């Protein structure tokens, strides 16, 4: 018995309108990496929140190292040696790395005075032991997303966690950072830690996990030895049908130029030039991908195109019309769609219901508003119901569910559904499948291609080369705010793009 | 143990419902007030007698009924409710309107000016004065909104400054009005008054006036704009998540400026109603009436909803009317301020209550672990 580090038996948890966990059992061996797999809304985050004490289960028992426990709040979980690395980091921006790590349990010297040097030493030790390189004195706001995640891991280690839960840790990382994280996970296991890993990326499961438990619609489906199964098997187990990873797509039939970006220069909030003299055209009926390492101006490019940031120099045309100086709303009216990178910040109003969120870009137009400015909630609900059905959005209380209570993947589906339903001429897409399960990814990719075939011009930004190679007709590689080269998808290899992303011209590759 | 579990979910449920919290907080405020009165050696029952009388007009000590008290309570409530709506409207868009007081004073001043100098045509005269009050309130709030939206000037700072500017500007203006002494002006002509002879008749000559209808219209309008119009939709979205609203094309700059103007209009209306409804002459203010500031508390207690703000405003109006009655019953009237203050503090302590809940849970766990240890 005590060989299990975690035993969660017959856990049930209901939210209004949904059974998030329905008699779920999870058994994790000591010193293993255990993957938790399931569709969007399958109940993975909920199950882990119960283990971490953020929610309490309606029924079921939890044993940690064989002892029956009652984890009523996260403090209890910490005392039991359970740590969690959340998907959205919770660092205090103007504190140093060390200060963030010790927050709440600051070491004190004999006179009860804060002793940061002692803490720094311990942080250094831990980061060396586990290969988590990060400068203990750096300010939290100045480090990369990948490093912030390491700080979160160090935080759990500093609190002596020996069970660490990762909720979709790779969704926010670049491919390089993902590889590094995989090494860190292995290292943690070697040092005797037990790890639960939630991810939608089957490749990662195959790469690091020992065993994998699959959930579907809140129910326990099974636990498998990862070495014994293929990615295809895992996908089938989780969705309940065969899933296609490669998308069939007909060759593009590009029409006239719909989006034309000419010599664009955009600065970020603090005034650094992030996009410099960038030009690219997107034609109707084609998907142009922007490939690049995170932080090379992709976000600012999108901000400049949508109007979120002012354009310093250059011009943007939609269907031949100069929109450079138009407001965001006018650009939307001219046919600009946008699936934003940061769904919490830009994509959704989490207090609003799904139906209100679906209408947020055209609520002021008929049929949602009449000529007197009165809203028609019924029309909004009808529209939302349609999208919920079409895009298989799993929501406890239908169109009235507050967007904030949806699972991460379902929030993303709401945004994608809204933007596609607005049938824009030009669709800007950033990380469309971030946080989605394989079934949903398949569906969303198909929809994006279907939009292309309807004659939309699509600009896709993604850090996943897979996605770019899979979806795009032409690929623009971006480095330091400028485009290195634009290639047809079939004229270039992943390796060549990787080299260009690092800054070298294709000819040299 | 089962029972404790139920308690926990009950506490959770309570913490999740803003309405229930407000009611509990009000009760808690009164409880503390009661204890305080007892501590200073007076009979707390007298406070409740005074409150009963201001609510129903019934004097329990001599069994007499005087409906005038009901009228006064309602009349006192009107500016509280309107200033509450002012604060609440801005709050729903994510702004903190401390300037209700200044907007109120400007409304009051303009209403007095028009009342004394405007055309003495029945109906038109007071209508003009009220619209003047609304308009100046909207301008006073709108300026803050534009500063905030265009130049990112904190609305907290600019409204506080405008409050003082309003007070002294009002004094300068009113000292030049006909018949002005250091504290009052000449009487208004009859056509400027808001008196409602029907209300006077049924409430035994209380000061309750047409302003009551205006308040009701304002409450309905508030609800209607917020929940039913596209304007309100944009404002709510801006208040909840400004960045997402902006990204979705909602003109947040306009929303912010406009919401402050509307907030100011509510407070300005309050000023106009007090000027023409509760007084027969213009006042040269020597200090603030504090309706604007109390509006902040009213909106807090009312959770910035139309209905909640109205109920909270009635509560404040009732307490104000009960003050005189309390004094006649040897209860210091300051007790009502203490109760109001406590209510606001308790509302703010909501997150504290959550901490308490966590603490309870923790203690519960410790007990269980100990029990288990014993069992083993
Ligand atoms: N706080 C909440 N209130 C109401 N319903 C909730 C809440 N949290 C989760 N749910 C619902 O419970 C279900 C399971 O959600 P959960 O977040 O556990 O899914 P998930 O497996 O993590 O999905 P994803 O992969 O999309 O993150 C969903 O239907 C979700 O809408
Ligand atoms: Mg999740």
């Amino acid at each position: 018995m005590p060989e299990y580090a975690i035993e969660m038996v017959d856990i049930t948890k209901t939210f209004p309108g949904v059974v998030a966990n329905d008699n779920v059992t999870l058994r994790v061996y000591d010193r293993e990496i255990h993957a938790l797999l399931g569709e969007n809304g399958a109940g993975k985050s909920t199950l882990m929140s119960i283990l971490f004490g953020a929610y309490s289960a309606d029924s079921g028992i939890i044993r940690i190292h064989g002892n029956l426990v009652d984890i009523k709040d996260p403090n209890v979980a910490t005392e039991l040696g359970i740590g969690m690395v959340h998907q959205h980091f919770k660092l205090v921006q103007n504190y140093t790395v060390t200060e963030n790590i010790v927050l709440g349990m600051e070491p004190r010297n004999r006179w009860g005075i804060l002793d940061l040097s002692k803490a720094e030493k311990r942080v250094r030790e831990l980061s060396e032991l586990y290969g988590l390189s990060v400068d203990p004195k750096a300010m939290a706001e100045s480090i990369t997303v990948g490093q912030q995640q390491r700080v979160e891991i160090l935080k759990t280690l500093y609190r002596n966690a020996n069970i660490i839960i990762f909720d979709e840790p790779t969704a926010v990382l670049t491919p390089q950072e993902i590889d590094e994280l995989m090494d860190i996970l292995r290292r943690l296991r070697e040092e005797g830690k037990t790890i639960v890993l939630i991810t939608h990326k089957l490749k990662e499961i195959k790469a690091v996990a020992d065993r994998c438990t699959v959930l579907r619609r809140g129910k326990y489906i099974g636990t498998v030895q990862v070495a014994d199964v293929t990615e295809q098997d895992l996908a089938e187990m989780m969705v309940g049908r065969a899933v296609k990873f490669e998308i069939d797509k007909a060759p593009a039939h590009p029409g006239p130029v719909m989006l034309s970006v000419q010599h664009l220069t955009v600065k970020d909030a603090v005034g650094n030039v992030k996009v410099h003299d960038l030009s690219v055209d997107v034609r109707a009926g084609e998907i142009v991908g922007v490939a690049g390492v995170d932080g090379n101006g992709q976000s600012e490019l999108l901000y400049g195109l949508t109007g979120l940031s002012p354009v310093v120099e250059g011009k943007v045309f939609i269907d031949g019309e100069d929109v450079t100086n138009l407001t965001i709303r006018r650009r939307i009216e001219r046919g600009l769609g946008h699936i934003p990178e940061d769904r919490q910040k830009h994509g959704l109003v989490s207090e609003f219901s799904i139906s209100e969120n679906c209408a947020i870009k055209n609520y002021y137009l008929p049929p949602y508003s009449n000529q007197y400015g009165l809203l028609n909630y019924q029309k909004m609900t009808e529209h939302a119901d349609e999208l919920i059905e079409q895009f298989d959005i799993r929501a406890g209380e239908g169109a009235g569910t507050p967007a904030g209570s949806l699972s991460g993947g379902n929030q993303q589906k709401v945004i994608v559904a809204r933007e596609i339903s607005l049938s824009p001429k030009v669709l800007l897409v950033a990380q469309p499948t971030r946080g989605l399960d394989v079934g949903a990814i398949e569906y969303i990719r198909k929809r994006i291609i279907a939009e292309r075939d309807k004659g939309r011009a699509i600009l896709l930004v993604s850090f996943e080369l897979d996605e770019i190679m899979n979806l795009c007709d032409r690929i623009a590689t971006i480095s330091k705010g400028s485009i290195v080269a634009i290639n047809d998808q079939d004229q270039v290899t992943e390796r060549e793009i990787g080299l260009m992303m690092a800054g070298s011209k294709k000819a040299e590759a | 143990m089962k029972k404790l579990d139920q308690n926990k979910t009950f506490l959770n449920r309570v913490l999740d419902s803003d309405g229930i919290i407000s009611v509990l907080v009000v009760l808690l405020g009164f409880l503390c007030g009661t204890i305080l009165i007892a501590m200073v050696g007076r009979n707390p029952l007298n406070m409740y007698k005074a409150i009963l009388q201001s609510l129903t007009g019934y004097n329990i000590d001599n069994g007499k009924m005087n409906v005038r008290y009901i009228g006064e309570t309602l009349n006192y409530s009107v500016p509280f409710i309107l200033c509450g709506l002012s604060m609440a409207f801005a709050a729903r868009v994510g702004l903190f309107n401390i300037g209700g007081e200044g907007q109120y004073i400007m409304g009051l001043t303009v209403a007095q000016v028009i009342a004394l100098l405007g055309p003495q045509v029945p109906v038109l005269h007071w209508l003009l004065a009220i619209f003047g009050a609304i308009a100046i309130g909207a301008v006073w709030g709108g300026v803050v909104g534009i500063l905030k939206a265009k130049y990112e000037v904190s609305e907290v700072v600019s409204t506080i400054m405008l409050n003082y500017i309003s007070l002294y500007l009002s004094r300068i203006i009113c000292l030049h009005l006909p018949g002005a002494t250091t504290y009052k002006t000449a009487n208004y002509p009859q056509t400027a008054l808001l008196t409602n002879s029907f209300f006077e008749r049924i409430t035994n000559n209380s000061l309750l006036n047409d302003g009551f209808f205006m308040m009701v219209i304002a409450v309905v309008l508030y609800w209607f704009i917020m929940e039913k119009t596209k304007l309100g939709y944009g404002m709510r979205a801006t208040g909840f998540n400004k960045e997402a609203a902006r990204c979705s094309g909602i003109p947040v700059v306009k929303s912010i400026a406009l919401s402050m103007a509307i907030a100011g209009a509510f407070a300005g209306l309050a000023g106009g109603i007090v000027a023409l409804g509760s007084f027969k002459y213009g006042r040269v203010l020597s200090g603030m009436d504090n309706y604007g500031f109390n509006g902040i508390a009213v909106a807090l207690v009312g959770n910035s909803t139309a209905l909640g703000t109205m109920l909270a405003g009635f509560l404040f109006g009732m307490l104000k009317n009960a003050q005189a009655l309390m004094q006649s019953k040897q209860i210091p009237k300051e007790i009502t301020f203490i109760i109001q203050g406590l209510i606001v503090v308790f509302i703010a302590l909501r997150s504290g209550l959550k901490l308490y809940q966590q603490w309870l849970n923790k203690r519960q766990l410790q007990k269980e672990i100990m029990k288990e240890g014993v069992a083993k």
Side-chain angles (χ1 to χ4, degrees):
Chain A
M1 274 280 271
E3 61 184 322
Y4 287 122
I6 309 166
E7 260 189 296
M8 300 179 78
V9 185
D10 292 337
I11 301 287
T12 296
K13 171 77 185 172
T14 41
F15 287 116
V18 265
V19 187
N21 290 148
D22 186 357
N23 262 313
V24 173
T25 294
L26 173 73
R27 290 194 169 89
V28 180
Y29 288 119
D30 199 14
R31 299 174 175 228
E32 79 166 332
I33 298 180
H34 195 105
L36 195 54
L37 181 65
E39 295 166 285
N40 296 123
K44 306 176 295 291
S45 297
T46 305
L47 188 66
M48 287 303 106
S49 299
I50 291 171
L51 181 59
F52 192 59
Y55 292 144
S56 61
D58 302 340
S59 67
I61 56 167
I62 302 177
R63 283 198 199 91
I64 299 296
H65 294 295
N67 302 317
L68 197 62
V69 292
D70 185 357
I71 306 174
K72 285 254 174 135
D73 65 59
N75 294 334
V76 180
T78 308
E79 278 161 35
L80 287 166
I82 302 172
M84 182 149 179
V85 176
H86 293 274
Q87 187 174 341
H88 299 277
F89 310 138
K90 298 169 174 168
L91 298 184
V92 184
Q93 290 298 313
N94 50 359
Y95 274 26
T96 65
V97 165
T98 306
E99 283 168 337
N100 264 294
I101 290 173
V102 300
L103 198 67
M105 43 191 317
E106 298 85 351
R108 311 214 168 253
N109 63 18
R110 225 162 350 140
W111 297 285
I113 293 168
L114 185 64
D115 188 356
L116 265 186
S117 60
K118 200 164 120 196
E120 240 161 55
K121 196 167 144 255
R122 175 116 173 86
V123 169
R124 230 177 268 277
E125 277 168 19
L126 284 172
S127 62
E128 261 160 43
L129 179 59
Y130 296 99
L132 292 156
S133 62
V134 48
D135 176 9
K137 285 187 173 149
M139 281 288 173
E141 59 198 351
S142 69
I143 59 180
T144 66
V145 174
Q147 286 170 333
Q148 289 184 27
Q149 187 171 61
R150 289 177 191 173
V151 175
E152 292 283 351
I153 300 174
L154 281 169
K155 232 162 133 177
T156 66
L157 293 171
Y158 187 84
R159 285 160 178 71
N160 298 317
N162 55 42
I163 295 172
I164 307 178
I165 306 163
F166 289 84
D167 193 351
E168 295 189 42
T170 57
V172 290
L173 299 184
T174 62
Q176 293 86 327
E177 286 171 333
I178 292 177
D179 289 341
E180 286 162 18
L181 178 68
M182 294 297 125
D183 287 337
I184 292 168
L185 292 180
R186 291 192 193 98
R187 186 66 182 266
L188 286 169
R189 174 176 55 189
E190 268 168 39
E191 296 295 333
K193 307 289 179 196
T194 304
I195 287 164
V196 180
L197 173 68
I198 300 180
T199 179
H200 288 296
K201 297 182 187 158
L202 304 172
K203 237 194 308 187
E204 292 163 10
I205 297 182
K206 284 296 283 179
V208 291
D210 301 301
R211 295 193 310 146
C212 175
T213 292
V214 180
L215 303 182
R216 194 194 305 153
R217 295 192 176 230
K219 292 209 171 61
Y220 172 78
I221 301 298
T223 302
V224 293
Q225 211 67 44
V226 171
D228 300 344
V229 292
T230 63
E231 285 181 34
Q232 195 65 49
D233 296 332
L234 285 173
E236 265 188 65
M237 241 179 118
M238 115 185 202
V239 187
R241 64 178 165 84
V243 176
K244 268 198 195 151
F245 293 132
E246 298 281 314
I247 307 248
D248 309 316
K249 81 178 177 174
H253 300 288
V257 172
M258 274 293 157
L259 172 69
S260 177
V261 183
Q262 298 176 0
H263 306 291
L264 193 71
T265 299
V266 185
K267 290 182 180 167
D268 65 6
V270 282
N272 297 323
V273 173
K274 278 302 174 86
V275 174
H276 181 64
D277 194 18
L278 184 149
S279 299
V280 65
D281 281 346
V282 185
R283 291 167 293 177
E286 74 168 348
I287 304 178
V288 174
V290 177
V293 179
D294 190 11
N296 274 278
Q298 293 96 325
S299 308
E300 288 77 11
L301 169 62
L302 291 176
Y303 293 167
L305 296 183
T306 52
L308 281 167
S309 293
V311 167
V312 180
E313 245 173 82
K315 289 208 175 307
V316 180
F317 294 87
I318 293 175
D319 198 7
E321 187 184 349
D322 185 353
V323 299
T324 322
N325 296 312
L326 294 187
T327 62
I328 298 175
R329 176 166 283 180
R330 293 287 165 269
R331 293 185 203 209
I332 295 171
E333 286 169 350
R334 298 294 183 282
L336 184 67
H338 179 207
I339 297 174
E341 187 181 356
D342 187 338
R343 64 176 165 238
Q344 310 279 342
K345 187 173 168 201
H346 286 132
L348 291 171
V349 175
S350 49
E351 292 86 350
F352 269 10
S353 65
I354 296 181
S355 56
E356 282 170 308
N357 268 298
C358 285
I360 199 166
K361 287 195 169 170
N362 53 357
Y363 69 92
Y364 61 98
L365 298 171
Y368 306 126
S369 288
N370 63 16
Q371 73 259 46
Y372 309 111
L374 301 187
L375 293 170
N376 187 337
Y377 281 103
Q378 197 185 336
K379 280 281 184 303
M380 286 190 204
T381 307
E382 280 168 20
H383 177 61
D385 280 337
E386 241 168 68
L387 295 183
I388 287 174
E389 166 86 30
Q390 250 188 59
F391 285 79
D392 190 23
I393 297 165
R394 311 252 169 100
E397 299 155 275
T401 314
S405 80
L406 294 176
S407 79
N410 281 300
Q411 292 183 355
Q412 179 74 354
K413 285 192 204 167
V414 171
I415 298 172
V416 173
R418 173 181 74 211
E419 296 303 324
I420 288 185
S421 74
L422 287 167
S423 45
K425 286 181 200 159
V426 175
L427 184 58
L428 308 175
V429 186
Q431 313 284 356
T433 55
R434 172 183 278 182
L436 292 185
D437 67 57
V438 286
I441 290 178
E442 183 193 11
Y443 181 72
I444 299 278
R445 287 186 179 167
K446 269 192 200 151
R447 284 302 297 249
I448 291 177
I449 290 170
E451 287 304 296
R452 177 199 78 170
D453 294 339
K454 274 192 232 158
R456 318 265 183 254
I458 298 174
L459 187 74
L460 176 109
V461 171
S462 177
F463 305 136
E464 284 173 58
L465 269 184
D466 279 7
E467 183 151 278
I468 298 239
M469 293 302 279
N470 225 313
L471 277 178
C472 300
D473 303 306
R474 291 192 300 143
I475 300 169
T477 310
I478 192 171
S479 172
K480 298 200 185 102
S482 302
I483 294 213
V484 183
I486 301 181
N487 307 95
D488 287 341
Q489 187 262 346
D490 47 11
Q491 305 286 311
V492 70
T493 65
E494 247 180 75
R495 210 185 100 78
E496 284 168 333
I497 291 184
L499 283 171
M500 285 190 286
M501 275 163 44
S504 69
K505 295 263 178 260
K506 192 191 174 209
E508 305 159 27
Chain B
M1 191 181 126
K2 247 272 108 68
K3 216 174 137 221
L4 256 171
D5 259 340
Q6 274 165 0
N7 275 347
K8 191 193 149 199
T9 53
F10 177 71
L11 187 61
N12 280 338
R13 216 176 312 141
V14 167
L15 282 174
D16 286 345
S17 157
D18 293 336
I20 298 180
I21 289 263
S22 289
V23 172
L24 283 182
V25 156
V26 169
L27 292 179
L28 202 59
F30 274 101
L31 184 69
C32 294
T34 310
I35 295 171
L36 266 176
I37 295 174
M39 270 166 50
V40 296
R42 307 284 158 77
N43 185 356
L45 211 56
N46 284 339
M47 176 176 76
Y48 291 99
K49 282 182 188 164
I51 287 173
L52 181 76
Q53 196 175 353
S54 74
L55 262 181
T56 64
Y58 181 64
N59 184 340
I60 222 170
D61 286 333
N62 60 14
K64 279 197 189 130
M65 188 80 181
N66 186 353
V67 282
R68 214 186 116 191
Y69 288 108
I70 307 177
E72 299 300 355
T73 289
L74 292 178
N75 191 40
Y76 276 130
S77 306
V78 169
F80 281 123
I81 294 171
L82 287 170
C83 289
L85 292 180
S86 170
M87 170 71 193
F89 200 91
R92 289 288 283 274
V93 191
L95 300 169
F96 196 48
N97 179 20
I98 309 189
E101 191 65 38
Q103 295 144 14
Y104 164 90
I105 290 174
M106 289 315 288
L108 177 130
T109 308
V110 166
Q112 291 183 358
V113 170
I114 299 180
L116 287 166
L117 304 175
Q120 297 184 20
V121 184
V123 182
L124 181 76
H125 192 184
W126 63 257
L127 217 55
L128 216 59
I130 287 294
F131 275 113
I134 294 175
I136 189 72
V139 169
W140 226 237
V143 166
V144 174
I146 290 170
L147 285 176
K148 163 86 178 181
K150 281 241 152 75
Y151 308 105
E152 296 190 5
V153 175
S154 160
E155 76 276 19
V156 176
V157 177
S158 54
T159 49
I160 289 178
M161 297 201 304
L162 277 175
N163 284 345
Y164 288 99
I165 294 175
S166 315
L167 178 62
Y168 294 108
L169 191 62
S170 168
R171 279 183 65 83
I172 293 171
I173 294 173
C174 293
L175 281 170
H176 289 88
L177 286 175
T181 66
T182 49
Y183 70 98
K184 63 179 276 199
T185 68
N187 279 357
Y188 302 138
Q190 204 61 33
T191 47
L193 297 176
L194 294 180
T195 42
N196 177 315
S197 54
F198 174 69
F199 278 155
E200 278 183 350
R201 199 148 14 95
I202 63 163
T203 64
N204 193 10
N205 289 321
S206 79
L207 287 172
L208 189 63
N209 53 63
D210 285 338
F212 185 77
F213 295 122
M214 298 176 200
M215 178 275 288
V216 172
I217 294 172
V219 171
V220 173
L221 210 62
Y222 175 100
W223 169 82
F224 189 77
I225 293 177
M226 267 299 159
E227 310 294 337
K228 296 288 163 195
T229 67
K230 61 183 186 187
L231 186 71
Y233 179 104
M235 288 183 171
R236 279 184 292 138
T238 308
F240 283 135
N241 184 347
K242 193 170 144 198
E243 278 304 307
R246 196 162 88 87
C247 187
S248 308
I250 293 173
V252 293
V253 169
K254 202 177 108 194
S255 285
I256 288 174
L258 198 59
S259 72
M260 276 305 290
I262 294 177
F266 282 125
L269 174 62
I273 291 175
V274 169
L276 308 182
S278 301
F279 294 90
K280 306 260 181 275
Y281 51 86
R283 287 181 299 153
V284 180
L285 296 177
S286 55
M288 297 186 180
D289 281 353
N290 283 333
Y291 284 118
F293 292 122
N294 280 312
I296 298 173
V298 170
L300 269 177
V301 176
N303 293 315
S304 299
T305 63
L307 185 66
T309 305
M310 190 165 85
L311 293 176
F314 279 135
L315 174 76
F316 276 59
M318 176 203 73
L319 284 174
K320 187 164 171 118
N321 190 27
Q323 282 169 3
L325 292 167
M326 285 186 196
Q327 274 181 314
S328 71
K329 294 186 195 319
Q330 279 78 48
I331 305 271
K333 73 168 191 216
E334 282 71 19
I335 203 77
T336 59
F337 301 134
I338 294 180
I339 292 178
Q340 288 172 3
L342 284 173
I343 289 174
V344 172
V345 171
F346 289 145
I347 289 263
L349 273 180
R350 185 167 173 189
S351 46
L353 221 59
K354 289 210 161 122
L355 285 180
Y356 172 70
Q357 176 201 3
Q358 277 176 11
W359 178 79
L360 266 189
N361 291 344
K362 205 166 179 175
R363 230 184 48 163
Q364 164 73 15
L365 179 80
Q366 281 166 354
K367 260 196 225 145
E368 269 167 40
I369 289 177
M370 267 168 52
K371 239 190 275 165
E372 233 168 73
V374 173
K376 268 180 195 167

